[in-house]
Amino acid sequence: ESKYGFTRDQLFEGYRICRDKGIKRFGIHIFVASNELDPNYFVETADILFKVIVDISRALNIRFEFANLSGGIGIPYRPEQDPIDLPAMSRGIKEKYDQIIVGRGFAPLKIFTECGRYITGPYGYLVSKVLHIKDTYKQFAGLDACMANLMRPALYGAYHHITVLGKEKRPHDFVYDVTGSLCENNDKFAIDRMLPKLTPGDTVVIHDAGAHGFAMGFNYNGKLRSAELLLREDGSVVPIRRAETVKDYFATLDFNGLKRFKI
Ligand SMILES: Cc1ncc(COP(=O)(O)O)c(C=O)c1O
């Protein structure tokens, strides 16, 4: 069902067309996983890709300079999850490289990766305030943030861990839907989440927002992107991006067009 990439037959055909047009330098790229925590998955992916490289190289008499294993390395969004064992992944890929690429005479082959989430995800936090508590048939905690700041929970029901500043050690014996401020019912950061008792003004920290947070942000409903602050190892805080303003929101409108209309 993937919308990416080529079939195996198309790969052979594509490289053949390139070779026949005089292309001399070749590389190949694969992207098969997203947020994967099992190192074997990446080892198997390398196995598939290295074998394809050997098959195409032999069939078309070309040489590959690089294989890009792409990103997809996952992060433990849930506290009970373990981080991926990167050394095990690296050892496994190296074994495949030695067996398939070196063993069959196709070295050297540069190996690239292009990890996104693994590098930025755990190091960003969405910091928000509780605006109000709504008590109907369940408890809703409404935040001043919304899915325009972090879309993953609304988009794919993704789990993001939440802590409440100063209440980390209190019993988590209240169940809340933690909601954003957009007029979309799926604008929720968490559904039925056990948290300490919340009150308006509490600071709610949503974890692992360093990937697919700000970058996936949007302006629907006039929502303005928030500021970004860098917390340094020495505890100092450096503003690295100011918050958007209403002026920014209208900055791309071309009011000159209005002159064409007679009011
Ligand atoms: C082609 C390609 N490379 C790399 C990445 C980064 O993936 P990740 O952030 O899961 O490491 C993506 C993500 O969509 C991608 O489409």
Side-chain angles (χ1 to χ4, degrees):
E1 298 300 313
S2 174
K3 67 176 182 176
Y4 310 106
F6 298 103
T7 65
R8 187 180 161 88
D9 287 348
Q10 285 171 338
L11 274 182
F12 282 77
E13 189 191 345
Y15 281 106
R16 185 183 53 71
I17 292 170
C18 291
R19 182 202 62 187
D20 293 349
K21 286 186 182 295
I23 303 283
K24 298 274 183 263
R25 302 182 64 188
F26 296 95
I28 193 164
H29 178 279
I30 195 166
F31 187 80
V32 284
S34 195
N35 197 30
E36 180 58 57
L37 288 169
D38 179 358
N40 294 322
Y41 197 92
F42 296 99
V43 178
E44 282 164 29
T45 301
D47 181 81
I48 294 168
L49 190 66
F50 292 159
K51 285 176 178 160
V52 166
I53 287 173
V54 169
D55 291 348
I56 295 175
S57 303
R58 283 182 176 156
L60 301 177
N61 198 26
I62 61 175
R63 278 200 90 86
F64 281 86
E65 289 181 24
F66 71 85
N68 187 334
L69 298 174
S70 197
I73 297 176
I75 57 172
Y77 282 99
R78 293 174 183 269
E80 67 273 17
Q81 287 177 313
D82 291 322
I84 187 169
D85 186 347
L86 273 192
M89 184 187 95
S90 170
R91 275 194 308 275
I93 293 174
K94 171 87 167 55
E95 271 169 33
K96 296 291 178 190
Y97 182 90
D98 288 341
Q99 253 171 41
I100 302 165
I101 298 297
V102 178
R104 298 180 201 178
F106 291 94
L109 176 76
K110 289 181 196 149
I111 305 294
F112 298 147
T113 57
E114 48 187 28
C115 296
R117 181 197 320 262
Y118 187 81
I119 292 171
T120 61
Y123 310 106
Y125 297 85
L126 176 58
V127 181
S128 180
K129 289 267 185 217
V130 176
L131 290 182
H132 37 244
I133 303 295
K134 186 174 169 213
D135 180 2
T136 51
Y137 54 93
K138 66 196 302 194
Q139 296 280 314
F140 296 94
L143 305 188
D144 63 356
C146 69
M147 65 191 270
N149 304 109
L150 177 67
M151 189 156 54
R152 294 187 75 250
L155 191 61
Y156 5 83
Y159 180 95
H160 278 259
H161 199 59
I162 291 177
T163 47
V164 186
L165 280 196
K167 296 187 175 177
E168 295 87 344
K169 300 234 158 60
R170 295 206 190 160
H172 286 42
D173 49 3
F174 283 78
V175 184
Y176 292 101
D177 278 14
V178 181
T179 63
S181 53
L182 270 183
C183 57
E184 303 288 324
N185 197 49
N186 66 335
D187 182 18
K188 293 177 182 169
F189 292 110
I191 296 173
D192 294 334
R193 183 71 58 89
M194 298 300 295
L195 289 171
K197 185 171 171 44
L198 294 171
T199 46
D202 277 343
T203 302
V204 166
V205 176
I206 303 174
H207 295 228
D208 302 308
H212 314 107
F214 190 95
M216 250 191 196
F218 55 93
N219 285 121
Y220 172 61
N221 227 317
K223 294 295 177 190
L224 303 173
R225 288 183 179 80
S226 52
E228 289 190 305
L229 305 175
L230 177 70
L231 173 62
R232 307 197 65 196
E233 267 178 311
D234 64 5
S236 59
V237 175
V238 185
I240 53 171
R241 196 193 296 265
R242 67 165 173 80
E244 272 182 351
T245 63
V246 173
K247 205 171 164 200
D248 296 322
Y249 185 66
F250 288 104
T252 50
L253 278 179
D254 187 354
F255 290 104
N256 288 327
L258 282 177
K259 291 178 190 154
R260 290 201 297 274
F261 299 104
K262 292 212 167 29
I263 301 170

